[in-house]
């Protein structure tokens, strides 16, 4: 069946998936419990205005380090 052949041949590009996820605001929800909705919401809005990722914004804000960001994400994905 052509549809099954098409579906079976699809492979995710992990690098691109990670890049798209990092450029979305999905990760922001992981930090809401620690920093609060209002703080995270402001970071999201500021990141959008500055045309940078949430990841880059929260790290540049000094709230966490890059290593801490990766640790939180890794714990969530496990």
């Amino acid at each position: 069946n052509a549809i099954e052949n098409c579906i079976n041949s699809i492979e995710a590009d992990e690098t691109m998936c990670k890049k798209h996820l990092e450029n979305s605001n999905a990760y922001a929800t992981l930090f809401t419990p620690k920093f609060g909705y209002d703080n995270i919401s402001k970071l999201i809005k500021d990141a959008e205005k500055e045309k940078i990722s949430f990841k880059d914004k929260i790290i540049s804000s000094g709230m966490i380090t890059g290593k801490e960001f990766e640790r939180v994400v890794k714990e969530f994905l496990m």
Side-chain angles (χ1 to χ4, degrees), residues 6-18 20:
C6 177
I7 292 171
N8 290 335
S9 66
I10 295 174
E11 291 185 30
D13 181 336
E14 290 184 38
T15 302
M16 288 304 295
C17 288
K18 184 176 180 183
H20 288 303

Side-chain angles (χ1 to χ4, degrees), residues 27-44:
Y27 283 144
T29 59
L30 299 175
F31 299 92
T32 302
K34 182 173 182 174
F35 298 111
Y37 178 84
D38 291 340
N39 289 327
I40 297 301
S41 178
K42 183 177 181 337
L43 287 176
I44 291 170

Side-chain angles (χ1 to χ4, degrees), residues 47-66:
E48 288 173 352
K49 285 180 191 171
E50 297 172 30
K51 295 184 174 33
I52 62 173
S53 69
F54 171 77
K55 176 183 178 181
D56 290 340
K57 185 61 186 177
I58 195 169
I59 292 169
S60 70
S61 76
M63 294 171 78
I64 62 168
T65 65

